[in-house]
Short mmCIF file of all heavy atoms in Angstrom, two decimals:
data_model
loop_
_atom_site.label_atom_id
_atom_site.label_comp_id
_atom_site.label_asym_id
_atom_site.label_seq_id
_atom_site.Cartn_x
_atom_site.Cartn_y
_atom_site.Cartn_z
N VAL N 257 -137.29 39.71 82.87
CA VAL N 257 -137.54 38.71 81.83
C VAL N 257 -139.11 38.44 81.78
O VAL N 257 -139.63 38.31 80.66
CB VAL N 257 -136.82 37.40 82.12
CG1 VAL N 257 -137.32 36.21 81.28
CG2 VAL N 257 -135.32 37.60 82.11
N ASN N 258 -139.83 38.30 82.85
CA ASN N 258 -141.26 38.11 82.79
C ASN N 258 -142.01 39.17 82.14
O ASN N 258 -142.86 39.02 81.28
CB ASN N 258 -141.81 37.88 84.18
CG ASN N 258 -141.52 36.46 84.71
OD1 ASN N 258 -141.14 35.57 84.01
ND2 ASN N 258 -141.55 36.37 86.03
N LEU N 259 -141.68 40.49 82.45
CA LEU N 259 -142.23 41.57 81.72
C LEU N 259 -141.97 41.57 80.30
O LEU N 259 -142.83 41.88 79.42
CB LEU N 259 -141.75 42.92 82.42
CG LEU N 259 -142.45 43.26 83.70
CD1 LEU N 259 -141.71 44.52 84.32
CD2 LEU N 259 -143.92 43.53 83.62
N PHE N 260 -140.64 41.29 79.92
CA PHE N 260 -140.30 41.22 78.55
C PHE N 260 -141.13 40.12 77.77
O PHE N 260 -141.66 40.40 76.66
CB PHE N 260 -138.78 40.90 78.42
CG PHE N 260 -138.35 40.56 76.98
CD1 PHE N 260 -138.36 41.50 76.02
CD2 PHE N 260 -138.12 39.22 76.63
CE1 PHE N 260 -138.02 41.11 74.69
CE2 PHE N 260 -137.73 38.84 75.45
CZ PHE N 260 -137.72 39.79 74.43
N LEU N 261 -141.27 38.94 78.38
CA LEU N 261 -141.98 37.83 77.73
C LEU N 261 -143.43 38.29 77.57
O LEU N 261 -143.94 38.03 76.45
CB LEU N 261 -141.92 36.63 78.51
CG LEU N 261 -140.59 35.97 78.62
CD1 LEU N 261 -140.52 34.76 79.60
CD2 LEU N 261 -140.05 35.56 77.22
N ASN N 262 -144.07 38.90 78.55
CA ASN N 262 -145.41 39.49 78.36
C ASN N 262 -145.55 40.46 77.26
O ASN N 262 -146.52 40.49 76.53
CB ASN N 262 -145.95 40.08 79.73
CG ASN N 262 -146.16 38.87 80.80
OD1 ASN N 262 -146.32 37.73 80.48
ND2 ASN N 262 -146.10 39.33 81.97
N LEU N 263 -144.53 41.44 77.27
CA LEU N 263 -144.56 42.40 76.18
C LEU N 263 -144.43 41.77 74.77
O LEU N 263 -145.18 42.18 73.88
CB LEU N 263 -143.36 43.34 76.37
CG LEU N 263 -143.06 44.43 75.29
CD1 LEU N 263 -144.29 45.45 75.37
CD2 LEU N 263 -141.80 45.11 75.54
N ARG N 264 -143.51 40.75 74.65
CA ARG N 264 -143.42 40.13 73.36
C ARG N 264 -144.74 39.47 72.92
O ARG N 264 -145.05 39.39 71.80
CB ARG N 264 -142.32 39.13 73.35
CG ARG N 264 -140.88 39.70 73.24
CD ARG N 264 -140.54 40.31 71.90
NE ARG N 264 -140.68 39.18 70.84
CZ ARG N 264 -139.60 38.43 70.47
NH1 ARG N 264 -138.44 38.69 70.98
NH2 ARG N 264 -139.78 37.53 69.44
N ARG N 265 -145.43 38.80 73.92
CA ARG N 265 -146.71 38.14 73.65
C ARG N 265 -147.77 39.21 73.14
O ARG N 265 -148.47 38.90 72.15
CB ARG N 265 -147.17 37.42 74.76
CG ARG N 265 -146.44 36.09 75.08
CD ARG N 265 -146.96 35.35 76.31
NE ARG N 265 -146.07 34.32 76.72
CZ ARG N 265 -145.32 34.42 77.86
NH1 ARG N 265 -145.51 35.42 78.74
NH2 ARG N 265 -144.51 33.46 78.19
N LYS N 266 -147.72 40.36 73.74
CA LYS N 266 -148.70 41.42 73.36
C LYS N 266 -148.45 41.92 71.96
O LYS N 266 -149.27 42.19 71.11
CB LYS N 266 -148.67 42.50 74.33
CG LYS N 266 -149.37 42.28 75.58
CD LYS N 266 -149.33 43.53 76.53
CE LYS N 266 -149.84 43.08 77.93
NZ LYS N 266 -149.67 44.29 78.95
N THR N 267 -147.08 42.13 71.69
CA THR N 267 -146.61 42.66 70.37
C THR N 267 -146.75 41.67 69.27
O THR N 267 -146.91 42.13 68.08
CB THR N 267 -145.24 43.30 70.41
OG1 THR N 267 -144.33 42.32 70.83
CG2 THR N 267 -145.14 44.46 71.29
N ALA N 268 -146.71 40.40 69.61
CA ALA N 268 -147.06 39.38 68.55
C ALA N 268 -148.42 39.43 68.05
O ALA N 268 -148.68 39.26 66.87
CB ALA N 268 -146.69 38.00 69.17
N ARG N 269 -149.39 39.90 68.91
CA ARG N 269 -150.79 40.09 68.58
C ARG N 269 -150.91 41.34 67.75
O ARG N 269 -151.83 41.46 66.92
CB ARG N 269 -151.65 39.96 69.68
CG ARG N 269 -151.74 38.60 70.36
CD ARG N 269 -152.83 38.61 71.40
NE ARG N 269 -152.51 39.44 72.53
CZ ARG N 269 -152.06 39.07 73.71
NH1 ARG N 269 -151.71 37.82 73.86
NH2 ARG N 269 -151.78 39.91 74.66
N HIS N 270 -150.01 42.38 67.98
CA HIS N 270 -150.21 43.65 67.33
C HIS N 270 -148.80 44.07 66.91
O HIS N 270 -148.03 44.81 67.53
CB HIS N 270 -150.71 44.67 68.32
CG HIS N 270 -152.04 44.40 68.96
ND1 HIS N 270 -153.20 44.38 68.26
CD2 HIS N 270 -152.34 43.83 70.22
CE1 HIS N 270 -154.19 43.93 69.07
NE2 HIS N 270 -153.65 43.65 70.18
N PRO N 271 -148.37 43.47 65.75
CA PRO N 271 -146.95 43.81 65.45
C PRO N 271 -146.61 45.26 65.08
O PRO N 271 -147.50 46.00 64.51
CB PRO N 271 -146.77 42.95 64.13
CG PRO N 271 -148.11 42.55 63.69
CD PRO N 271 -148.97 42.66 64.88
N ALA N 272 -145.46 45.67 65.30
CA ALA N 272 -145.03 47.10 65.07
C ALA N 272 -144.13 47.08 63.77
O ALA N 272 -143.64 46.07 63.32
CB ALA N 272 -144.12 47.58 66.19
N VAL N 273 -144.06 48.20 63.19
CA VAL N 273 -143.18 48.40 61.96
C VAL N 273 -141.74 48.71 62.44
O VAL N 273 -141.51 49.57 63.25
CB VAL N 273 -143.78 49.55 61.15
CG1 VAL N 273 -142.89 49.78 59.88
CG2 VAL N 273 -145.17 49.24 60.70
N SER N 274 -140.87 47.96 61.89
CA SER N 274 -139.40 48.15 62.23
C SER N 274 -138.82 49.33 61.52
O SER N 274 -138.91 49.50 60.28
CB SER N 274 -138.68 46.84 61.96
OG SER N 274 -137.28 47.13 62.11
N LEU N 275 -138.07 50.13 62.29
CA LEU N 275 -137.34 51.20 61.61
C LEU N 275 -136.05 50.73 60.96
O LEU N 275 -135.47 51.43 60.13
CB LEU N 275 -136.96 52.29 62.68
CG LEU N 275 -138.14 52.98 63.37
CD1 LEU N 275 -137.61 53.96 64.47
CD2 LEU N 275 -138.93 53.74 62.29
N ASP N 276 -135.63 49.52 61.15
CA ASP N 276 -134.46 48.92 60.54
C ASP N 276 -134.79 48.31 59.20
O ASP N 276 -133.96 47.94 58.41
CB ASP N 276 -133.88 47.81 61.40
CG ASP N 276 -133.22 48.33 62.65
OD1 ASP N 276 -132.71 49.51 62.63
OD2 ASP N 276 -133.31 47.69 63.74
N ALA N 277 -136.11 48.11 58.89
CA ALA N 277 -136.56 47.51 57.62
C ALA N 277 -136.26 48.52 56.52
O ALA N 277 -136.26 49.80 56.68
CB ALA N 277 -138.03 47.29 57.73
N PRO N 278 -135.96 48.00 55.29
CA PRO N 278 -135.76 48.87 54.13
C PRO N 278 -136.87 49.77 53.81
O PRO N 278 -138.00 49.43 54.06
CB PRO N 278 -135.49 47.84 53.06
CG PRO N 278 -135.20 46.56 53.64
CD PRO N 278 -135.97 46.58 55.02
N LEU N 279 -136.53 50.88 53.31
CA LEU N 279 -137.54 51.90 53.04
C LEU N 279 -137.99 51.66 51.56
O LEU N 279 -137.16 51.57 50.69
CB LEU N 279 -136.99 53.29 53.19
CG LEU N 279 -136.55 53.77 54.52
CD1 LEU N 279 -135.84 55.11 54.43
CD2 LEU N 279 -137.72 53.91 55.45
N ASP N 280 -139.29 51.71 51.31
CA ASP N 280 -139.78 51.61 49.97
C ASP N 280 -140.02 53.00 49.43
O ASP N 280 -140.82 53.76 49.92
CB ASP N 280 -141.10 50.91 49.94
CG ASP N 280 -141.65 50.56 48.54
OD1 ASP N 280 -140.85 50.77 47.61
OD2 ASP N 280 -142.75 50.04 48.44
N THR N 281 -139.20 53.28 48.40
CA THR N 281 -139.23 54.65 47.79
C THR N 281 -140.21 54.78 46.62
O THR N 281 -140.36 55.86 46.07
CB THR N 281 -137.83 55.05 47.30
OG1 THR N 281 -137.49 54.13 46.22
CG2 THR N 281 -136.86 55.05 48.34
N GLY N 282 -140.85 53.66 46.21
CA GLY N 282 -141.69 53.69 45.13
C GLY N 282 -140.98 53.24 43.88
O GLY N 282 -141.47 52.67 42.98
N GLU N 283 -139.73 53.43 43.80
CA GLU N 283 -138.74 53.02 42.74
C GLU N 283 -137.87 51.84 43.21
O GLU N 283 -137.11 51.39 42.41
CB GLU N 283 -137.95 54.12 42.26
CG GLU N 283 -138.68 55.31 41.74
CD GLU N 283 -137.73 56.50 41.42
OE1 GLU N 283 -136.54 56.36 41.58
OE2 GLU N 283 -138.27 57.53 41.01
N GLY N 284 -138.17 51.30 44.34
CA GLY N 284 -137.36 50.20 45.00
C GLY N 284 -137.13 50.41 46.35
O GLY N 284 -137.62 51.31 46.96
N GLU N 285 -136.43 49.51 47.02
CA GLU N 285 -136.01 49.58 48.40
C GLU N 285 -134.74 50.23 48.60
O GLU N 285 -133.80 49.98 47.87
CB GLU N 285 -136.12 48.27 49.05
CG GLU N 285 -137.53 47.69 49.13
CD GLU N 285 -137.57 46.38 49.96
OE1 GLU N 285 -136.51 45.75 50.04
OE2 GLU N 285 -138.65 45.98 50.32
N VAL N 286 -134.58 51.07 49.72
CA VAL N 286 -133.30 51.66 50.07
C VAL N 286 -133.00 51.31 51.54
O VAL N 286 -133.90 51.28 52.36
CB VAL N 286 -133.47 53.19 49.96
CG1 VAL N 286 -132.12 53.87 50.43
CG2 VAL N 286 -133.83 53.70 48.59
#
């Protein structure tokens, strides 16, 4: 849990792009 909390604090400063997010195709999101 402590390592996870530290990891989340670090990633909050440097957010990652989610692979679950919709894809932008240029003609809309998929």
Side-chain angles (χ1 to χ4, degrees):
V257 171
N258 287 337
L259 284 172
F260 167 75
L261 293 174
N262 291 339
L263 174 69
R264 283 288 300 267
R265 286 183 194 109
K266 285 180 188 174
T267 57
R269 290 188 296 262
H270 307 285
V273 177
S274 171
L275 296 177
D276 293 327
L279 299 171
D280 186 9
T281 64
E283 298 175 5
E285 290 185 343
V286 177

